[in-house]
Every structure is written in structure tokens, then in C-alpha cells.
């Protein structure tokens, strides 16, 4: 029997803890008597990005985190964005900066992310953070890595010697995640999504105890990609009109998997909760007043 991992319930637990901690910080007599503050930068008019930002604002407010959304036109210049980031980096009220991705094509995403102060960058994408991950130094947990580890912990899945297929188009979201899972004892299998060689992909994924997919191809992952009792974490988000789909063909994969995250209601809500937790961590670590 396959168990469905309830991402909304897990996210609620994380957000409850954030609320409790913020309430405690706010009642301390000489410290922490302001709410954490999150700046969100949104460029352009993508409906999905607007929706995700609106959700982040709503959930942040519910947790006691104040938000400030900076909106830029689709044709904004790189300099305008860099100026805004410079302003937010210098503003001692701002604890966390979240740059909603993807950016329109004229932007060099790596350059813009690197301009965010590493002490304020929420997602854990900053190159200084990645260097720390690979150097084995203390680092800020990237949001997506936190989501994966929370999900695995919730089902008592220890990563020691577990084989993991990590499937993604090379992408800023997945940077460092393989390394973090390796440091937790996992063996990362050399699986790559390739539209034209599904057989090779299946040979690889069928060896995996855990399949993590962030490819963005609607329902491509069916039961015949899975080893019996595999754990399946679906990070794919495909929006069609008002509907959201994942990479995993749930009806088929759930016949073989032991645990599976649904889309919607799996990774999505947890991404918001783990991002908000990072804001609180940055606030506690770097707050100047
Ligand atoms: N775009 C879609 N999801 C995310 C996310 O979790 N963080 C950022 N920065 N951009 C996104």
C-alpha cells in the first residue's frame, strides 16, 4: 500500500513552530521586539510567479513575518534590479530577500542572485553558500534541500546507504542538493533526464530507493521507472490554466511506490514553510535592531 505524504500538514507543523518562536522573541524585554521582515522581488507578469508571491505573502503574514513586495516590469533593466537589491542589502529592517524565479530572459540570474547579501538570501542559492556546502563548512540549508529532508524525516527514511535518483534540468534550485544528500549518507545515482533515451533513464531510476524529480514534464514518471517500494518526491510544477500538475503520473506510480508526494499538496506548501523558516533563521542570526 502506497502512503501519500501530506505536504500541507507537514507545512502547517513547520509554520506553527515559526509562530511559536516569533511570539517568544516578541515578548523578550530587550530583544527581538520587531517582527522579522521579508522582501520579495517579483519581475514581470507571469501568472504562476504572481500566484506564488501572493501565497508567500499570505503565509508569511499568518506566521508573523512582515513582507515587502518590490514589483518590476517585464522589461526592467538589470541595473534597476541591482539598485533595488543594493538598497535592500543596506536596509537593516530587512532580514530576508527572496527573488522570485524565473526572471525574464534578459537577466543573468546567477549575477542577480550573487548581488543579494549572502546574509539575507532566503533560498540558499547564493554562490558563497554553495561553496560552504561543498567545503563541508556550516551553511544555510537551501529551501529545497530542507523540504526533501523534512519529507524523508516524516516517514522515518534514513538516508544512510540509500540510492537516490535526483532528476532535474540543471537548475539553480537543485544546486548543492546532491552534495547535501551525499553528506547525509546517500548514494546519488548518475541518472539524467533525456527525452530521447527513456530506457537508460528507467534502468537508472529502477535502482533507486528514492526518486526525486524536478524536470517539469507533466506525468512522465510512471510505475515502470520505479523499483518496488521506492519513495517518490515530486518537485515538478506544471501549470495549465488554473490547474497544477507534477512530473509523476500519480495513479500509475502509486501502484509501485511505498510513499509519494502529490501535486498539488506535496512539495509546494512545504517550500513556502521552509522559506519562511529560513527568514526567521536569518533574522535571529543577523538582526541589527
Ligand atoms: N519560483 C518558483 N518557486 C520558487 C521558490 O521556491 N523560490 C524562488 N525564489 N522562486 C521560485
Amino acid at each position: 500500500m502506497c502512503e501519500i505524504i501530506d505536504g500541507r500538514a507537514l507545512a502547517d507543523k513547520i509554520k506553527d513552530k515559526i509562530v511559536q518562536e516569533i511570539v517568544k522573541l516578541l515578548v523578550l524585554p530587550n530583544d527581538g521586539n520587531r517582527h522579522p521582515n521579508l522582501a520579495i522581488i517579483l519581475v514581470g507578469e507571469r501568472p504562476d510567479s504572481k500566484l506564488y508571491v501572493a501565497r508567500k505573502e499570505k503565509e508569511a503574514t499568518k506566521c508573523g513575518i512582515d513582507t515587502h513586495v518590490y514589483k518590476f516590469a517585464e522589461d526592467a533593466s538589470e541595473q534597476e534590479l541591482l539598485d533595488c537589491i543594493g538598497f535592500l542589502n543596506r536596509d537593516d529592517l530587512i532580514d530576508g530577500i527572496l527573488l522570485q524565479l524565473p526572471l525574464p530572459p534578459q537577466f543573468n540570474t546567477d549575477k542577480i542572485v550573487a548581488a543579494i547579501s549572502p546574509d539575507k538570501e532566503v533560498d540558499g542559492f547564493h554562490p558563497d553558500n554553495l561553496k560552504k556546502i561543498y567545503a563541508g563548512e556550516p551553511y544555510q540549508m537551501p529551501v529545497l534541500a530542507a523540504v526533501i529532508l523534512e519529507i524523508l524525516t516524516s516517514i522515518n527514511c534514513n538516508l544512510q546507504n540509500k540510492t537516490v535518483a535526483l532528476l532535474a534540468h540543471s537548475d539553480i534550485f537543485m544546486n548543492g542538493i546532491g552534495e547535501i544528500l551525499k553528506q547525509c549518507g546517500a548514494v546519488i545515482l548518475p541518472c539524467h533526464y533525456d527525452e530521447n533515451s527513456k530506457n537508460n533513464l528507467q534502468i537508472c531510476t529502477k535502482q533507486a530507493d528514492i526518486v526525486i524529480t524536478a524536470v517539469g514534464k507533466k506525468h512522465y514518471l510512471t510505475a515502470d521507472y520505479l523499483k518496488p517500494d521506492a519513495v517518490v518526491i515530486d518537485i515538478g510544477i506544471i501549470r495549465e490554466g488554473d490547474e497544477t500538475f507534477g512530473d509523476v503520473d500519480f495513479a500509475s506510480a502509486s501502484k509501485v511506490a511505498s510513499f509519494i508526494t502529490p501535486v498539488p499538496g506535496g512539495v509546494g506548501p512545504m517550500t513556502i514553510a521552509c522559506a519562511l523558516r529560513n527568514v526567521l533563521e536569518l533574522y535571529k542570526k543577523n538582526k541589527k535592531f
Side-chain angles (χ1 to χ4, degrees), residues 27-41:
V27 297
L28 288 177
N30 296 315
D31 196 9
N33 48 6
R34 70 164 174 82
H35 290 251
N37 279 263
L38 165 66
I40 304 176
I41 302 173

Side-chain angles (χ1 to χ4, degrees), residues 41 48-49 52 56 97-102 121 123 125 143-144 173 237 268 271-272 275:
I41 302 173
D48 54 349
S49 290
Y52 301 145
K56 283 170 188 160
I97 302 172
L98 193 149
L99 175 68
Q100 186 65 28
L101 298 177
E121 199 268 313
D123 281 298
F125 296 155
V143 168
L144 211 44
F173 287 91
I237 301 179
T271 307
I272 297 178

Side-chain angles (χ1 to χ4, degrees), residues 17-174:
K17 280 201 194 137
I18 297 174
V19 173
Q20 285 166 16
E21 204 167 330
I22 291 178
V23 168
K24 260 194 234 155
L25 289 166
L26 291 176
V27 297
L28 288 177
N30 296 315
D31 196 9
N33 48 6
R34 70 164 174 82
H35 290 251
N37 279 263
L38 165 66
I40 304 176
I41 302 173
L42 172 63
V43 187
E45 299 293 332
R46 280 179 66 117
D48 54 349
S49 290
K50 284 178 163 176
L51 180 71
Y52 301 145
V53 168
R55 280 191 192 150
K56 283 170 188 160
E57 273 188 277
K58 188 173 155 205
E59 295 305 320
T61 306
K62 282 204 264 177
C63 286
I65 295 174
D66 291 340
T67 55
H68 311 260
V69 179
Y70 291 78
K71 290 186 183 151
F72 288 86
E74 187 81 31
D75 62 354
S77 70
E78 206 162 77
Q79 196 53 49
E80 280 176 84
L81 220 54
L82 292 172
D83 287 347
C84 174
I85 288 170
F87 165 76
L88 295 170
N89 284 345
R90 289 187 297 275
D91 185 346
D92 286 341
L93 177 71
I94 297 297
D95 305 295
I97 302 172
L98 193 149
L99 175 68
Q100 186 65 28
L101 298 177
L103 294 173
Q106 75 270 25
F107 292 99
N108 176 339
T109 301
D110 288 344
K111 179 177 167 190
I112 306 285
V113 168
I116 301 173
S117 161
D119 293 335
K120 296 193 178 191
E121 199 268 313
V122 170
D123 281 298
F125 296 155
H126 196 282
D128 288 4
N129 199 42
L130 288 179
K131 271 187 218 144
K132 286 182 187 165
I133 294 172
Y134 284 99
E137 292 168 16
Y139 57 86
Q140 181 195 328
M141 185 61 79
V143 168
L144 211 44
V147 169
I148 293 166
L149 295 176
E150 286 285 346
I151 286 172
L152 294 174
T153 305
S154 79
I155 57 168
N156 294 318
C157 177
N158 182 331
L159 275 167
Q160 200 61 45
N161 296 324
K162 292 282 183 347
T163 44
V164 178
L166 192 56
L167 298 159
H169 287 315
S170 92
D171 176 273
I172 191 165
F173 287 91
M174 299 304 270

